[in-house]
């Protein structure tokens, strides 16, 4: 399942509207009266509270979650989860400091989330206080969820036709006649009472007690003990209407001559009331219901409810259930938008969309990358016979008066899937939840585009086929892809090789906090080959994971395996920069083309953007802009726009140029960034620089990954067209640290470090995703250099990392290094391979981030430089900065990671025009150092490195007899 970028979303009512029909003898005299009831019900529904949520993965809170709208959550209560190992005394102290009561209620387990009451503070203030604590894993409002929306029928179009069950899938139903016969033949007519389906809803009319009456057509249904988490008692009676209707689709008593049939009519139903008489319930209640169902024997959970907002606690709850081998099904939502509501949007949940009788996507049904399957949900504005009928209260909230009621919604579609899952549980009691999920998705009727698609998922469920299916789907694994990069906007034909590929599969590019890129024209040639097409018109530049998901929800992936290049090289961003504190800043513009580049340079300060500067760059040359001449005494980020392809870097010097830093720019903002290096120990000063080039303010969550684990900091807001600096020492003391940056709006992140009273310093950009492979062209443990490789593991599992050192004499492979989850590790290269110039190839079994730092001392104080690795070698490399004048000593470092020799050429682009040097041959898996001063002395220059094979190039510069130095990777194309 992929997760979309965090954004503000319109909220709507989530109550499925209905219209009761008591036979076909309604008179027009009732029309006005019933219409008034409808209008009152709709007004109540639309005035109801909306549901809550956000994004996945590492938690990033949007504005609505920092200050949630009234009515969307339970006032005076939060859900809080502390990190593992936090003592009870520390918990009480943190809660008290944030204005919370110290007496809490556990929701899942002793170490899990807990419900916390507030004591005289607002939800907003309590959230900020708790989220600022390094001991808190997450804190969030107790959001209110609602039954998926439903609409009334026109009473004159009443029908008792259960087309959704009686018709084959090829005609819009799910082919229950065949499925029921299959179950009878297997000795499980209508399922098995030992299989319990928990219905988390408004309750069920399952008993006659007090003022409640059992639905007549549920008299023969098996019931397991449930619970009412709204009224906190063991009597989950329905006081609404919705839950009883849902129950009917799953297990209405069948073949008794009354009203309607149910799919798994011999299964057992566990009513769990988590929604109140208005159809609304909080995350606290839903989480409690999920835990109760999972702990008391449920094999399937149906949640015909949801909301648009992400919740870590809710995801913890569904993961808790699936870890206990429970099949969890939930409604995709009824807003007709490209977004799946939660909890359906979580990876471990089967997300169910709705179809109408004509086998089209229902007009209201949500769709998108997380959609798994569709089932009949009916459609609005159609005859009632085109909707879903079950016996429930004739009028909403009118307990005891029953009728066949027609409803439509993904709420109605979801119990079709839960009912079929119950039948499969009866047939295959030893199957895991993933195997049940696989049988559901593997036997769907394919609708829409061939294979998986975002409108229908794997297709319309087919109960007849699924109840005959007895295979287990393997886990897919990707070993290679034919194309690993392309430009934004292009269409790419992709061949994926591996194992365990079954037809159908969902192939997509995935990146944290962004919309996935779903493949089309997917064809599985055999179990080890997939052919597909990627349309990159909506893809943001940068690293993307390549994923293959089968109907069982099992995923094979190459993390960071595909790079979307910018459509052109016209726009650049430089997050770091300052003309204050004694800094001297330069922006270097390289024009490798054959036409003049007309360039606009915009400086973004904490006070906002400055008027753009017009700069012309001649063909095959470079221009240097001294920022201090235009922005005085200010921190500054830079945006560069050009009408031609250019390359952009930024250099900074201080203390009369005793030391300096340099870094290439980035060409696209992103919602997530990762930076491996960083430290507040050993005398280091570390700063994180956030540039927001958009017009909207960005709420930014920074998580520090230390050797002891992750430490989130309070959210910051970065106004549009500005930059923000974080002094890491204010948050993390005396520790090595890596960074994960998540934002509600696309931003750019860099990191700078200084030491010994700013005697030295270095700087690097981040990456917008982890990857399995990294290359670092520069490096040396000779000439007095001390080299370090920094490894960040942002995943939830340990990474096994192999470093291969590429020397002038050939490769030297190292034993694997283990990097624990959500931490960073530092490797001292000198210990393994002393006295060598060395490039590094970094390979991992899961996505990581790799950087390289080097330090030295010529007797005047410690100097150093740093650069992040690159994930793909290319045939062309451009380096904008460079000089053999002003006392600079320049080197170009070329890495050949191929098993065969590479022919390499170099061109120098100076203000006086193009200069070339003789080409040379590089040995396999080696590196070469080119001393630029020996080729073109006394000149400012940019560099173009090219080869017949894919290579990597970096450039380093030194001055004052190596008293200072900096380095940067190039633009690879």
């Amino acid at each position: 399942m992929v997760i979309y970028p965090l954004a503000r979303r319109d909220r709507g009512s989530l109550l499925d509207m209905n219209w009761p029909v008591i036979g076909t003898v309604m008179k027009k005299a009732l029309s006005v009266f019933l219409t008034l009831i409808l209008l009152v019900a709709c007004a109540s529904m639309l005035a109801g509270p909306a549901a809550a949520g956000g994004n996945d993965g590492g938690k990033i809170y949007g504005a609505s979650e920092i200050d949630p709208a009234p009515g969307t959550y339970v006032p005076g209560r939060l859900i809080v989860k502390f990190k593992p190992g936090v003592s009870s005394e520390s918990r009480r102290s943190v809660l008290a400091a944030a204005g919370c009561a110290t007496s809490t209620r556990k929701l899942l387990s002793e170490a899990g989330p807990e419900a916390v009451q507030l004591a005289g503070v607002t939800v907003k203030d309590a959230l900020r206080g708790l989220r600022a604590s390094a001991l808190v894993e997450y804190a969030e409002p107790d959001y209110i969820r609602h039954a998926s929306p439903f609409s009334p029928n026109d009473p004159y179009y009443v029908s008792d036709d259960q087309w959704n069950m009686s018709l084959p899938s090829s005609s819009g139903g799910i082919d229950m006649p065949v499925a029921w016969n299959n179950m009878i033949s297997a000795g499980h007519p209508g399922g098995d009472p030992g299989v319990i389906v928990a219905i988390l809803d408004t309750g069920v009319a399952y008993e006659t007690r007090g003022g409640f009456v059992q639905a007549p057509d549920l008299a023969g249904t098996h019931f397991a003990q449930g619970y009412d988490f709204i009224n906190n008692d063991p009597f989950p009676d329905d006081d609404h209407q919705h839950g009883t209707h849902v129950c009917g689709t799953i297990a209405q008593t069948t073949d008794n001559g009354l009203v309607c049939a149910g799919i798994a009519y011999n299964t057992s139903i566990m009513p769990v009331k988590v929604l109140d008489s208005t159809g609304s319930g909080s995350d606290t209640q839903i989480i409690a219901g999920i835990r109760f169902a999972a702990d008391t024997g449920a094999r399937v959970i149906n949640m015909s409810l949801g909301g648009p907002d992400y919740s870590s606690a809710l995801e913890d709850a569904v993961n808790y259930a699936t870890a206990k081998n429970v099949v969890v099904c939930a409604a995709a939502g009824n807003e007709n938008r490209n977004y799946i509501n939660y909890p359906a949007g979580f990876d471990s949940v089967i997300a169910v969309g709705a179809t109408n009788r004509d086998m089209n996507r229902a007009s209201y049904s949500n769709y998108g990358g997380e959609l798994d399957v569709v089932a009949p949900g009916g459609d609005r504005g159609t005859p009632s016979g085109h909707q879903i009928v079950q016996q429930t209260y004739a009028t909403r909230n009118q307990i005891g008066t029953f009728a066949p009621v027609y409803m439509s919604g993904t709420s109605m579609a979801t119990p079709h899937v839960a009912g079929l899952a119950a039948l499969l549980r009866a047939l295959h009691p030893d199957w895991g939840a993933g195997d049940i999920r696989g049988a559901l998705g593997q036997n769907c009727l394919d609708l829409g585009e061939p294979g998986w698609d975002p409108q229908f998922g794997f297709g319309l469920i087919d109960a007849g086929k699924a109840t005959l299916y007895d295979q287990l789907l393997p886990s897919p694994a990707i070993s290679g892809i034919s194309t690993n990069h392309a430009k934004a906007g292009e269409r790419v034909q992709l061949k994926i090789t591996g194992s365990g590929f079954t037809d159908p599969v969902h192939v997509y590019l995935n990146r944290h906090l962004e919309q996935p890129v779903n493949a089309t024209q997917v064809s599985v040639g055999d179990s080890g080959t997939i052919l597909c097409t990627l349309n990159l018109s909506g893809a943001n530049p940068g690293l993307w994971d390549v994923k293959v998901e089968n109907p069982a929800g099992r995923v094979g992936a190459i993390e960071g395996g595909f790079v979307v290049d910018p459509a052109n090289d016209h726009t650049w961003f430089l997050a770091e920069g300052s003309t204050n504190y004694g800094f001297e800043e330069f922006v270097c513009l390289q024009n490798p083309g054959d036409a003049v580049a007309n360039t606009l340079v915009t400086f973004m300060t904490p006070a906002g953007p400055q008027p753009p500067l017009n700069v012309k760059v001649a063909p095959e040359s470079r221009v240097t802009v001294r920022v201090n001449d235009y922005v005085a005494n200010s921190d500054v980020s830079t945006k560069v726009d050009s009408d031609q392809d250019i390359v952009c870097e930024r250099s900074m010097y201080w203390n009369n140029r005793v030391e300096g830093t340099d870094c290439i720019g980035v060409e696209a903002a992103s919602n997530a960034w990762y930076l491996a290096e960083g430290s507040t120990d050993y005398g280091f000063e570390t700063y994180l620089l956030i540039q927001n080039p958009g017009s909207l303010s960005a709420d930014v969550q920074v998580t520090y990954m230390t050797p002891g684990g992750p430490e989130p900091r309070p959210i910051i807001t970065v106004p549009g067209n500005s930059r923000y600096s974080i002094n890491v020492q204010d948050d993390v003391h005396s520790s090595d640290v890596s960074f994960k940056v998540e934002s509600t709006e696309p931003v750019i992140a860099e990191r700078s470090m200084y030491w010994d009273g700013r005697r030295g310093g270095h700087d690097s950009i981040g990456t917008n995703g982890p990857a399995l492979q990294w290359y670092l062209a520069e490096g040396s443990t000779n000439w007095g250099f001390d080299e370090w490789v920094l490894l960040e593991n942002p995943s939830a599992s340990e990474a096994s990392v192999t470093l291969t050192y590429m020397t002038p004499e050939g490769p030297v492979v190292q034993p694997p290094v283990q990097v624990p989850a959500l931490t960073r590790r530092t490797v001292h290269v000198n210990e393994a391979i002393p006295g060598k110039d060395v490039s590094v190839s970094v390979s991992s079994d899961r996505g990581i981030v790799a950087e390289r730092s080097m330090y030295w001392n010529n007797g005047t104080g410690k100097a150093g430089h740093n650069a992040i690795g690159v994930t793909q070698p290319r045939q062309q490399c451009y380096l904008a900065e460079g000089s053999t004048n002003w006392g600079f000593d320049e080197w170009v470092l070329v890495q050949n990671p191929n098993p065969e020799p590479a022919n390499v050429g170099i061109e120098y682009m100076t203000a006086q025009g193009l200069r070339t040097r003789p080409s040379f041959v590089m040995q396999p898996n080696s590196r070469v150092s080119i001393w630029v001063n020996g080729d073109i002395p006394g000149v400012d220059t940019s560099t173009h490195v090219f080869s017949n094979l894919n290579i990597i190039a970096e450039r380093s510069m030194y001055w004052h007899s190596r008293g200072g130095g900096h380095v940067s990777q190039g633009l690879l194309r």
Side-chain angles (χ1 to χ4, degrees):
M1 184 194 79
V2 292
I3 304 294
Y4 294 160
L6 192 106
R8 296 177 178 84
R9 298 185 288 275
D10 292 338
R11 301 175 182 269
S13 171
L14 298 174
L15 298 178
D16 289 300
M17 295 185 290
N18 78 298
W19 192 267
V21 181
I22 310 173
T24 58
V25 295
M26 287 291 187
K27 301 298 182 182
K28 290 185 177 179
L30 295 176
S31 178
V32 173
F33 174 71
L34 293 175
T35 300
L36 289 172
I37 294 177
L38 167 64
L39 292 173
V40 170
C42 289
S44 174
M45 172 196 70
L46 293 173
N55 86 309
D56 109 88
K59 183 70 178 97
I60 169 66
Y61 298 96
S64 64
E65 295 175 293
I66 296 169
D67 189 12
T72 65
Y73 60 92
V74 177
R77 189 163 68 208
L78 300 177
I79 300 176
V80 180
K81 184 178 180 182
F82 286 90
K83 293 179 180 177
V86 178
S87 68
S88 298
E89 181 178 351
S90 296
R91 294 184 186 205
R92 287 192 294 270
S93 176
V94 170
L95 292 172
C100 303
T102 57
S103 176
T104 67
R105 178 159 60 90
K106 302 295 183 181
L107 298 178
L108 289 174
S109 64
E110 185 62 28
E114 47 201 293
V116 176
Q117 296 298 127
L118 305 187
V121 297
T122 66
V123 164
K124 177 180 179 181
D125 289 340
L127 284 173
R128 288 192 179 276
L130 290 168
R131 289 171 181 168
S133 171
L135 303 181
V136 175
E137 183 171 330
Y138 57 73
E140 50 196 33
D142 188 5
Y143 289 117
I144 298 171
R145 308 277 163 176
H146 317 281
S148 300
F150 51 93
S151 58
N153 297 311
D154 186 336
Y156 293 98
Y157 293 96
V158 174
S159 168
D160 62 353
D161 183 15
Q162 284 189 284
W163 58 271
N164 50 307
M165 295 187 191
S166 63
L167 294 179
S169 59
S170 58
S171 298
I174 66 169
D175 206 3
M176 280 311 304
V178 172
W180 285 324
N181 285 329
N182 292 340
M183 297 301 297
I184 292 170
S185 298
H188 297 286
D192 187 333
V195 175
I196 298 174
V197 179
I199 298 176
L200 274 62
D201 213 289
T202 61
V204 174
Y206 74 103
E207 65 171 351
T208 298
R209 181 189 62 85
F212 293 98
V213 178
Q214 184 182 57
D217 208 13
L218 293 179
T221 300
H222 304 283
F223 287 100
Q225 179 62 55
Y227 198 83
D228 181 346
F229 287 96
I230 299 297
N231 301 297
N232 295 312
D233 62 48
F235 308 108
D237 298 291
D238 189 2
D239 54 6
H240 182 272
Q241 180 189 50
H242 189 270
T244 301
H245 192 285
V246 167
C247 178
T249 298
I250 297 173
Q252 197 99 59
T253 308
T254 302
D255 198 29
N256 64 346
L258 291 177
V259 199
C260 298
I263 291 171
Y265 55 83
N266 205 24
T267 197
S268 293
I269 296 298
M270 177 188 290
V272 181
K273 184 172 176 61
V274 297
L275 305 179
D276 62 19
S277 61
T278 69
S280 302
S282 72
D283 280 358
T284 299
Q285 291 152 338
I286 295 169
I287 291 168
I290 292 171
R291 179 187 178 184
F292 176 87
D295 287 348
T296 55
R299 305 297 304 282
V300 180
I301 290 177
N302 185 97
M303 288 188 283
S304 291
L305 53 83
D309 299 309
Y310 173 88
S311 163
S312 296
L314 191 58
E315 185 172 23
D316 277 352
V318 295
N319 290 341
Y320 178 85
T322 52
K324 286 178 168 280
N325 202 24
V326 180
V327 179
V328 183
C329 312
N334 297 351
E335 292 78 37
N336 184 29
R337 63 177 181 175
N338 185 11
Y339 188 85
I340 303 300
N341 280 344
Y342 295 103
F346 298 128
D347 286 344
S348 57
V349 178
I350 301 175
V352 184
T355 53
N356 59 23
R357 188 165 182 167
D358 297 326
M359 297 190 300
N360 296 317
R361 179 176 65 85
S363 59
Y364 51 81
S365 183
N366 289 354
Y367 54 95
E370 297 93 346
L371 186 66
D372 291 301
V373 296
V374 292
D379 221 340
R380 300 166 181 173
T382 62
S384 56
H386 286 236
Q387 300 186 49
I388 307 301
V389 61
Q390 287 295 343
Q391 186 186 67
T392 187
Y393 300 140
T395 304
R396 181 149 50 97
N397 307 127
Q398 297 300 306
I399 299 168
T401 303
F402 295 93
V405 175
Y406 290 79
M407 295 185 182
S408 61
T410 54
S411 276
M412 284 61 257
T414 305
H416 289 77
V417 178
L420 179 51
L423 295 182
L424 295 174
R425 282 292 205 195
L427 289 171
H428 307 287
D430 57 334
W431 278 13
D435 300 317
I436 300 296
R437 181 173 179 168
L440 286 162
Q442 190 72 14
N443 294 283
C444 289
L445 175 69
D446 190 16
L447 299 176
E449 297 178 3
W452 182 95
D453 68 80
Q455 299 287 321
F456 299 97
F458 287 106
L460 176 63
I461 63 168
D462 188 317
K465 290 182 179 179
T467 49
L468 286 176
Y469 188 75
D470 61 359
Q471 301 178 41
L472 300 180
L473 291 178
S475 295
I478 303 175
S479 59
I481 53 177
S482 60
T483 302
N484 60 8
H485 67 274
K487 287 186 176 182
E490 292 184 343
R491 292 178 65 89
V492 181
Q493 304 300 313
L494 206 63
K495 180 179 180 180
I496 302 174
T497 55
S499 61
F501 300 153
T502 54
D503 191 15
V505 292
H506 176 199
V507 180
Y508 58 102
L509 301 183
N510 185 68
R511 189 159 84 189
H512 184 43
L513 300 180
E514 298 200 25
Q515 293 258 6
V517 179
N518 296 304
T520 59
Q521 299 175 321
V522 178
S523 172
V524 180
D526 54 49
S527 63
T529 304
I530 296 173
L531 300 177
C532 62
T533 300
L534 290 173
N535 184 348
L536 302 178
S537 59
N540 289 328
L543 288 174
W544 291 80
D545 300 339
V546 182
K547 292 195 171 184
V548 173
E549 180 183 19
N550 69 18
R554 299 182 176 118
V555 178
I558 296 182
E559 295 177 79
F562 194 92
V563 175
V564 177
D565 292 327
N568 54 58
D569 301 318
H570 290 185
T571 301
W572 290 85
F573 301 97
L574 300 151
E576 169 64 301
S578 183
T579 60
N580 207 352
Y581 317 109
F583 287 111
E584 189 177 17
E585 180 181 355
F586 299 88
V587 172
C588 307
L589 306 173
Q590 176 186 13
N591 177 10
D594 55 8
V596 172
N598 298 294
T599 304
L600 290 177
V601 180
T602 302
F603 300 116
M604 298 178 183
T605 71
Q610 303 297 305
L613 173 69
N614 289 285
V615 179
K616 291 184 179 293
V617 188
E620 297 181 330
S621 71
R622 62 87 66 80
V623 167
T624 304
V625 177
R626 186 176 184 270
V627 181
N628 299 59
D629 294 338
Y630 304 97
V631 178
N633 302 319
S634 177
D635 293 337
V636 59
S637 293
T638 306
K639 179 183 178 184
V640 179
D641 294 290
S642 177
D643 61 355
Q644 303 292 323
D645 287 345
I646 61 171
V647 187
C648 187
E649 290 187 41
R650 178 209 58 252
S651 295
M652 292 173 60
Y653 303 92
W654 61 93
N655 290 346
N656 294 317
R657 298 193 184 179
V658 68
E659 181 61 294
T661 65
D662 177 85
C663 189
I664 192 170
V666 300
E667 296 185 80
S670 175
N671 293 84
W673 291 94
Y674 304 84
L675 302 109
E677 171 66 297
S679 184
T680 58
D681 207 355
Y682 317 110
F684 284 109
E685 290 180 73
T686 299
Y687 295 87
L688 185 64
L689 304 318
I690 309 294
Q691 177 184 10
N692 178 8
S695 59
L696 299 177
S697 292
D699 294 323
V700 180
Q701 171 78 70
V702 176
T703 301
Y704 302 116
M705 296 184 183
T706 72
E711 297 185 20
R713 83 177 306 280
I715 292 170
I716 60 171
T717 298
V718 184
N721 292 300
S722 72
R723 67 83 63 79
Y724 190 98
S725 301
I726 297 174
N727 185 349
V728 180
Q729 177 67 33
D730 294 339
D731 301 320
V732 179
H733 309 293
S734 302
S735 176
D736 292 338
V737 60
S738 292
F739 304 86
K740 180 164 120 178
V741 179
E742 300 163 293
S743 176
T744 57
E745 298 293 330
V747 297
I748 298 97
E750 286 190 43
R751 178 214 58 252
S752 60
M753 293 175 63
Y754 305 94
W755 55 87
D756 296 345
R758 299 197 180 176
R759 162 58 183 82
H762 56 53
D763 169 83
S764 179
I765 58 172
T767 175
N768 51 29
L772 302 180
Q773 181 69 54
W774 293 89
Y775 299 94
L776 299 150
E778 168 66 297
S780 183
T781 60
N782 205 353
W783 326 106
F785 288 111
D786 212 20
E787 180 178 357
W788 306 81
V789 173
L790 304 315
L791 304 172
E792 175 185 11
N793 178 12
S795 76
S797 301
E798 184 177 76
S800 180
V801 184
T802 299
L803 276 65
T804 300
Y805 300 128
M806 297 181 181
T807 72
E809 294 77 30
V812 182
V813 181
Q814 299 299 295
V817 174
Q818 306 306 312
V819 185
L822 302 172
T823 65
R824 66 130 317 157
R825 185 161 178 179
T826 305
V827 177
H828 191 194
V829 180
N830 296 58
E831 294 178 4
I833 187 164
K836 292 283 187 182
D837 290 339
V838 59
S839 294
V840 185
S841 170
V842 181
S843 302
S844 177
D845 64 349
R846 63 187 64 255
I848 60 165
V849 181
E851 292 187 41
R852 179 210 59 252
S853 293
M854 292 173 60
Y855 301 95
W856 64 94
N857 191 333
N858 72 341
T860 62
K862 184 171 73 173
H865 56 52
N866 168 274
I868 195 168
V870 298
T871 61
Q872 291 181 0
R874 299 284 182 89
Q875 288 184 281
Q876 310 281 331
C877 182
Y878 297 92
L879 299 147
E881 169 66 295
S883 183
T884 60
N885 204 355
W886 324 104
F888 287 112
D889 211 22
E890 179 180 356
W891 299 81
V892 172
L893 305 315
V894 185
Q895 178 182 10
N896 175 17
N898 300 287
E900 61 266 8
N903 297 314
V904 179
I906 293 180
E907 297 175 336
Y908 301 114
M909 298 176 183
T910 73
Q912 294 75 38
L914 193 67
R915 306 270 295 273
T916 60
R917 79 180 309 276
S919 61
F920 57 93
V921 176
M922 284 191 68
Q923 294 304 306
N925 293 301
S926 70
R927 66 80 64 79
V928 168
S929 302
I930 306 297
W931 185 43
V932 180
N933 297 59
D935 294 333
I936 52 166
V939 65
D940 292 340
T941 180
S942 293
T943 306
H944 174 210
V945 183
F946 51 95
S947 174
N948 64 316
L949 300 179
N950 290 330
I951 57 165
I952 305 100
E954 293 187 42
R955 180 216 57 257
S956 59
M957 293 172 59
Y958 304 94
W959 56 91
H960 293 329
S961 300
R962 295 199 179 173
H966 56 53
V967 70
S968 179
Q969 71 272 59
L971 171 67
L972 293 169
R973 286 290 179 264

